Amino acid sequence: MNNNIFNRSVITKQLEIVGNWDVIVIGGGATGLGIALDSVTRGYRTLLLEQVDFAKGTSSRSTKLVHGGVRYLGQGHIDLVKEALYERGLLLKNAPHLAKNQTFIIPNYSWWNAIFYTTGLKVYDFLSGKHSLGKSTFISKSKVLKRIKTVNKIKLKGGVSYQDGQFDDARLAVNVAQTCIERGATVLNHFKVNELLKNHNGTINGVVATDTETKRTYHLKGKAIINATGVFADDILKMDKSTGKNMIRPSQGVHLVLNNTFLPGADAIMIPKTDDGRVLFLVPWHDKVIVGTTDTLLDEHSLEPKALEEEVDFILSNVNAYLSKEVSRKDVLSIFAGLRPLAAPQDESEKTKEISRSHKIVTSDSGLISVIGGKWTTFRKMAQDTLDKVIKAKMLPERKCITQDLKIHGAKETNDWSNHLYVYGSDQEGIQKLIQENPKLGKKIHINAAYVQAEVIWAARFEMARTVEDVLARRVRMLFLDARAAIESAPIVAELLAQELNKNKNWEQEQVQQFSRIASHYVLGQTDIPQRTKVKQ
């Protein structure tokens, strides 16, 4: 039997060996993975079950920022900003191969704005304390034009430069999952929880879950059951109590991905005020530019949310107000939508800015612990708060959190950011070794992307990828960077995966069809180009 600890058969064997878990986490996004890592490093027997793949939902669809939240500062949420800035510092230290310092520039089109944003960002600097990534500063019009060659120069007065964090969200999720396993946790994707188990007193003491690959169902007992399913939290809560009130109000955020000719430098742009008063970012990421995001309240959630036409129009019109190079629909390489799991207001407020961005930990009468809200930047702190609450409720013996200084799998201090393999950190050597053993694996999987065939093998062998989508969406990020190229790459990825996972030709064909169906939603349809809007003064 394969003794690779990341092999699925090795991991699932633990379900038969362990009779009673200390902690069972439902959900393998940022929140669930953070909780599993905190739990296992405190010494608890930990199991995490994810219905599809790690970071399949919201956690792979962020703006790729590790930040305190400049917008929250404007709303007066000082404590929220301070906490996030502290956590930003820890994440850059603990996952230096994935999280890095990024310069942002706010173009100013009035002197009043220049004073306002310079002052506001000095407060941001102050709140970051010893975890500061560098001082914010006012820069002249000529410097802005030199650094952002595509910025709209009409009436430009100058800009404010500040530092924040940037990262690869899905790659971090995979590395956290690997860290959990290395520390002794049992972590499984493609494993769906169907039912909650209760004892004669009505207290939750386990879950019923199905391995969606083998269709085998398991009854798993545990002392603390934690619902960390993001926008799906209400589905689990309904398993506990069918008449329960909804705790989540999903808010959709849409991002467009463009060629880097629209932002050719190393700096990102922060648009401080859009048509509806929100913030918009243009961020360089993996040799492309991510533009977003929107904030649209929805009444329902899904695994593959779709962008609304008005969201696309909103992003294009606001971006075109700040760029000299016009962006149209045909320039969009990929479009992706994510759902923020906001804690629903109790007064039926419809404004997303009035719905809490901070996380809430709710204990049901049955003892089910649900984590609501939160964001990637504070995933470690959310996990710490959750386990502390479990201990306080006397579900587990007290043990201290040790994740503040815990290095994530792959952590590597010095990185060549120009080499696309930097996201693997210390695992780069392993990929190079695969290529040395079989030079054919050094070939690209698509002519227009840097990714090589060895990465597909690595994803299946050591990163628990089970499907073409797992690989092209979240191990390599091609679906998010160039949807058409991803669709064209599906056959070669399916063939490589089939060889590695010992699957047949029918499986290959089904995988290509399934992936192509999902990926079609990431390709933006061509309609009229929205009109420019004026820059907010």
Side-chain angles (χ1 to χ4, degrees):
M1 182 173 161
N2 189 336
N3 61 4
N4 170 11
I5 61 168
F6 302 116
N7 180 279
R8 191 174 182 87
S9 59
V10 173
I11 300 170
T12 50
K13 195 81 183 154
Q14 292 299 311
L15 300 180
E16 294 165 23
I17 295 168
V18 179
N20 197 14
W21 301 89
D22 292 322
V23 175
I24 298 177
V25 184
I26 310 168
T31 308
L33 288 164
I35 290 167
L37 185 58
D38 189 296
S39 172
V40 73
T41 52
R42 292 198 203 209
Y44 302 128
R45 282 168 303 187
T46 305
L47 170 65
L48 178 143
L49 303 172
E50 158 57 41
Q51 65 169 335
V52 185
D53 184 32
F54 310 117
K56 157 70 181 176
T58 309
S59 298
S60 61
R61 301 157 191 262
S62 72
T63 316
K64 322 306 176 196
L65 303 182
V66 187
H67 64 129
V70 176
R71 177 174 143 201
Y72 310 142
L73 189 63
Q75 295 167 1
H77 299 310
I78 303 295
D79 288 346
L80 202 63
V81 175
K82 203 170 177 180
E83 177 182 89
L85 287 170
Y86 175 74
E87 292 298 322
R88 178 190 72 177
L90 294 184
L91 191 51
L92 264 70
K93 181 186 71 168
N94 293 330
H97 61 304
L98 289 177
K100 61 178 179 173
N101 193 341
Q102 172 68 52
T103 303
F104 290 77
I105 293 173
I106 304 176
N108 299 145
Y109 293 88
S110 77
W111 289 115
W112 162 247
N113 278 353
I115 296 163
F116 179 77
Y117 293 116
T118 303
T119 308
L121 285 159
K122 289 294 178 193
V123 177
Y124 197 63
D125 292 347
F126 174 74
L127 291 174
S128 61
K130 66 175 183 179
H131 289 282
S132 170
L133 299 180
K135 285 186 168 61
S136 59
T137 180
F138 177 79
I139 55 175
S140 66
K141 176 180 176 178
S142 61
K143 279 190 178 171
V144 174
L145 291 171
K146 192 176 177 184
R147 285 167 65 171
I148 306 175
K149 293 182 167 50
T150 51
V151 74
N152 182 358
K153 57 186 81 167
I154 299 166
K155 294 188 179 178
L156 181 70
K157 302 292 188 282
V160 183
S161 167
Y162 74 98
Q163 305 303 126
D164 230 326
Q166 192 222 33
F167 78 134
D168 187 315
D169 48 12
R171 290 295 320 169
L172 180 59
V174 170
N175 284 167
V176 174
Q178 288 171 303
T179 313
C180 289
I181 290 169
E182 286 167 339
R183 290 283 175 153
T186 298
V187 173
L188 285 158
N189 53 356
H190 301 282
F191 229 96
K192 186 170 172 56
V193 171
N194 313 307
E195 195 183 328
L196 301 175
L197 296 172
K198 296 182 181 181
N199 67 14
H200 61 280
N201 293 325
T203 302
I204 286 187
N205 65 353
V207 301
V208 178
T210 302
D211 182 339
T212 57
E213 285 193 16
T214 64
K215 305 296 185 260
R216 181 176 169 184
T217 296
Y218 296 79
H219 287 63
L220 304 157
K221 293 294 185 77
K223 293 172 188 171
I225 314 301
I226 301 173
N227 172 15
T229 54
V231 291
F232 294 90
D234 285 330
D235 297 357
I236 304 296
L237 284 161
K238 291 285 195 305
M239 287 181 195
D240 177 34
K241 187 181 177 184
S242 58
T243 56
K245 191 177 178 184
N246 282 354
M247 299 291 293
I248 296 287
R249 189 73 201 272
S251 164
Q252 179 158 284
V254 166
H255 296 83
L256 308 182
V257 180
L258 310 172
N259 191 292
N260 62 11
T261 54
F262 290 94
L263 192 65
D267 300 317
I269 295 176
M270 196 261 258
I271 297 174
K273 209 157 197 183
T274 56
D275 290 349
D276 67 352
R278 301 195 185 282
V279 169
L280 209 60
F281 292 97
L282 289 84
V283 187
W285 192 66
H286 294 319
D287 295 325
K288 301 287 189 290
V289 180
I290 287 185
V291 186
T293 183
T294 56
D295 207 349
T296 310
L297 273 178
L298 300 181
D299 292 320
E300 53 190 34
H301 57 270
S302 69
L303 274 167
E304 281 296 338
K306 297 175 186 67
L308 304 174
E309 284 296 317
E310 54 264 37
E311 290 179 300
V312 177
D313 292 346
F314 165 81
I315 292 174
L316 288 175
S317 64
N318 278 283
V319 163
N320 279 328
Y322 278 80
L323 295 182
S324 57
K325 184 177 167 73
E326 184 95 19
V327 184
S328 70
R329 286 172 174 263
K330 66 179 169 49
D331 299 311
V332 177
L333 298 172
S334 187
I335 177 168
F336 61 92
L339 301 179
R340 302 176 194 88
L342 303 184
Q346 300 311 304
D347 60 357
E348 303 305 316
S349 169
E350 284 298 307
K351 292 183 179 174
T352 58
K353 60 182 86 172
E354 290 170 15
I355 298 178
S356 177
R357 246 59 175 182
S358 59
H359 62 280
K360 287 184 171 66
I361 303 162
V362 180
T363 307
S364 303
D365 293 340
S366 62
L368 176 68
I369 305 276
S370 296
V371 189
I372 313 291
K375 58 179 182 171
W376 250 122
T377 305
T378 54
F379 89 107
R380 189 210 66 82
K381 180 64 165 64
M382 288 162 62
Q384 182 179 343
D385 290 350
T386 305
L387 266 295
D388 286 349
K389 184 144 189 173
V390 168
I391 291 165
K392 199 174 177 183
K394 306 281 191 234
M395 293 181 188
L396 294 172
E398 185 169 355
R399 287 173 190 163
K400 292 273 180 275
C401 171
I402 64 160
T403 54
Q404 274 182 307
D405 300 308
L406 184 72
K407 297 288 186 199
I408 301 300
H409 178 98
K412 185 169 177 272
E413 292 299 333
T414 52
N415 288 294
D416 175 6
W417 302 106
S418 65
N419 179 353
H420 84 280
L421 292 175
Y422 78 80
V423 294
Y424 294 95
S426 58
D427 280 345
Q428 282 179 66
E429 293 169 20
I431 292 167
Q432 298 293 359
K433 194 175 173 204
L434 285 179
I435 296 168
Q436 284 164 15
E437 290 167 1
N438 182 357
K440 198 180 88 170
L441 295 178
K443 287 184 181 174
K444 287 183 172 188
I445 54 179
H446 193 279
I447 192 168
N448 293 335
Y451 306 115
V452 296
Q453 294 183 21
E455 292 177 78
V456 181
I457 303 301
W458 187 267
R461 203 173 287 178
F462 301 108
E463 295 181 344
M464 297 158 286
R466 308 299 296 175
T467 68
V468 168
E469 189 206 337
D470 291 352
V471 174
L472 287 172
R474 290 170 294 277
R475 303 309 183 279
V476 305
R477 305 308 306 274
M478 201 190 290
L479 177 59
F480 286 77
L481 294 164
D482 189 337
R484 288 180 183 85
I487 291 167
E488 289 164 11
S489 304
I492 180 68
V493 172
E495 187 183 329
L496 288 163
L497 269 184
Q499 289 166 12
E500 181 65 23
L501 300 177
N502 198 23
K503 304 287 186 181
N504 60 26
K505 281 287 175 192
N506 283 345
W507 182 88
E508 265 186 62
Q509 288 166 359
E510 283 168 15
Q511 279 292 305
V512 171
Q513 287 167 4
Q514 282 173 22
F515 178 75
S516 300
R517 248 193 327 270
I518 288 168
S520 66
H521 301 309
Y522 291 69
V523 178
L524 183 61
Q526 312 294 314
T527 59
D528 294 335
I529 300 164
Q531 298 300 304
R532 278 176 179 264
T533 59
K534 290 182 180 177
V535 171
K536 291 270 181 189
Q537 301 302 318

